[in-house]
Amino acid sequence: MDQYDVGDDADRPYWLSVPPQDFTALVDFIMPEIEARLARDGVFAPLGALMAREPYRGAIELFDEPMPDKKDGNTQLDHLKQALRNRVACSHQRAAVVAANCTVLLPGSGKQAEAAVLMCTHRDGTAAHYVYPYTITNGRVTFAPLEMTEGTQDIFPPIRLRPWISETCPPRPVGYQVGLFLFHGIDRETVLHRMHLADTGRPEADCPAPAAIASLADGWTVVWFNDSAAALHHATHMEHYAAGCTALALFVDEPDYVTEATGYANGAWLWTVRHVGTSRTRSLPGGPHDLHVTGTPPAQLAAIVTAMRKEEADSGYLPDMIDFYFDIPVELIYALTGFRYCQRDYDRARVTFNTLLLAMPTG
């Protein structure tokens, strides 16, 4: 049992939350506001709500944008969605909901009804629609049972790898924010000893652990940290860990659209390839085509960059619409090790991670 299996869930790290939990919280938050507006006005203009990136029980704020003069519902909805896109592009939220007054067809009968449609979206790409048909009698609002449908993620900016995450990996609240360390030339026990970690022998379950380890094909060992503070701590010791072996580090911050791959050999740093997809408060400029290369990177990098440029050009998306370069450090690690952070199943086998515990340093 790891440290997050028991106790008050309010004390859990935010990355343990999942989209259905966050969507339920957003719906519970905004429905009383919708009911009040319906009772008062008989209708409501589109409105929204946002959930903060952390803590585990993320704080929620109402997002009530002044509507344009046009009364057309679609125009108002588009206006609200664009305002939400602008907001999440420069701040840290992990989930959002857009609520609109719509006419829907009731399942089974096919009859039309007025409904509050709550369109929930998550940074990890998950989306769902919560549909509440309603009637108003003498100012009293009565909601019919909830209907749920699959939604469309159209609020949070996408990255190229988003489909991999949705299809093959457990959801994360804001997408992945992880650190990985990969070693070749030393065995698994040596990796654990150098990093002061202990293998529990227990496979990671649906609830992700703070740290985990797996053995890959071709002799690679990968250590995975969901705890970003722990990952940053170990990054400062990589030259020591890399003594007498080849070592790689990959940092992924999907909420900020940042990826960084670094290579070491025989105790020395060799190269770093970094992509900063957004600038925000960072000193370095960022953008969909940002790429910083220092040192002497592997020869595979040039082909990966060329392939990514071609894929973007052939994709049919408008320039800068999707952050393709986010994937360049990720694909570089894959070219060197055969492992992607967002993929578990491979042609040869499924990668299984065991949970890790911190071990006390000796000596």
Side-chain angles (χ1 to χ4, degrees):
M1 180 175 292
D2 67 53
Q3 67 191 89
Y4 303 118
D5 286 340
V6 295
D8 186 353
D9 64 9
D11 296 329
R12 293 184 167 200
Y14 73 93
W15 44 262
L16 282 174
S17 65
V18 292
Q21 164 192 302
D22 292 340
F23 291 169
T24 297
L26 284 167
V27 169
D28 290 346
F29 173 86
I30 205 169
M31 280 299 291
E33 182 67 26
I34 292 172
E35 183 175 5
R37 296 187 186 196
L38 286 173
R40 184 189 65 203
D41 304 324
V43 69
F44 67 93
L47 69 155
L50 291 162
M51 177 176 285
R53 175 172 170 173
E54 50 186 314
Y56 180 75
R57 294 178 181 172
I60 301 174
E61 63 172 297
L62 189 68
F63 190 87
D64 205 1
E65 180 76 5
M67 287 293 115
D69 293 336
K70 294 182 180 180
K71 301 298 184 182
D72 177 67
N74 289 331
T75 300
Q76 292 183 342
L77 182 59
D78 289 343
H79 176 79
L80 179 69
K81 285 187 173 183
Q82 187 55 54
L84 273 170
R85 293 185 194 107
N86 294 340
R87 172 66 182 280
V88 303
C90 60
S91 56
H92 292 82
Q93 285 82 28
R94 75 181 190 227
V97 61
V98 174
N101 198 104
C102 302
T103 301
V104 300
L105 294 177
L106 296 176
S109 67
K111 294 181 179 179
Q112 289 188 341
E114 291 300 302
V117 179
L118 280 59
M119 295 160 270
C120 296
T121 59
H122 218 272
R123 273 198 186 268
D124 79 340
T126 306
H129 288 176
Y130 291 65
V131 181
Y132 287 93
Y134 66 84
T135 57
I136 304 176
T137 305
N138 298 325
R140 181 176 180 179
V141 183
T142 303
F143 290 102
L146 167 67
E147 301 285 344
M148 288 188 63
T149 62
E150 186 176 350
T152 301
Q153 203 295 100
D154 58 356
I155 299 299
F156 295 101
I159 56 175
R160 174 181 176 270
L161 278 173
R162 195 72 61 188
W164 282 104
I165 296 164
S166 299
E167 293 170 10
T168 67
C169 293
R172 294 298 198 277
V174 289
Y176 282 95
Q177 187 183 32
V178 297
L180 282 74
F181 303 97
L182 303 98
F183 300 89
H184 193 275
I186 56 175
D187 61 24
R188 180 167 168 148
E189 291 304 316
T190 302
V191 171
L192 291 170
H193 176 74
R194 290 183 181 182
M195 300 185 77
H196 303 300
L197 299 169
D199 190 342
T200 65
R202 191 176 69 249
E204 189 178 35
D206 293 336
C207 183
I213 190 169
S215 295
L216 309 180
D218 302 325
W220 285 93
T221 298
V222 56
V223 179
W224 175 300
F225 287 94
N226 283 308
D227 186 328
S228 58
L232 291 173
H233 165 76
H234 285 287
T236 64
H237 298 280
M238 278 300 289
E239 292 186 1
H240 167 67
Y241 298 160
C245 69
T246 299
L248 303 169
L250 176 67
F251 284 87
V252 177
D253 188 340
E254 288 185 359
D256 272 348
Y257 304 92
V258 174
T259 48
E260 179 180 282
T262 305
Y264 305 83
N266 297 316
W269 168 86
L270 299 179
W271 53 268
T272 297
V273 177
R274 177 179 172 88
H275 168 70
V276 180
T278 57
S279 55
R280 294 190 185 160
T281 60
R282 299 178 184 276
S283 58
L284 293 174
H289 295 131
D290 174 85
L291 197 67
H292 300 274
V293 180
T294 53
T296 304
Q300 294 94 324
L301 177 63
I304 291 169
V305 173
T306 298
M308 207 63 65
R309 288 173 176 166
K310 183 178 187 302
E311 182 176 333
E312 182 177 19
D314 295 344
S315 68
Y317 290 103
L318 295 174
D320 299 349
M321 185 175 179
I322 290 183
D323 193 342
F324 282 84
Y325 274 42
F326 177 94
D327 212 13
I328 289 175
V330 176
E331 288 301 297
L332 181 57
I333 295 296
Y334 176 73
L336 297 171
T337 68
F339 179 76
R340 291 188 182 97
Y341 80 96
C342 55
Q343 187 177 356
R344 289 291 186 273
D345 292 311
Y346 297 86
D347 292 339
R348 289 175 288 186
R350 177 176 175 80
V351 175
T352 301
F353 281 84
N354 283 358
T355 61
L356 292 174
L357 295 176
L358 295 179
M360 294 300 296
T362 58

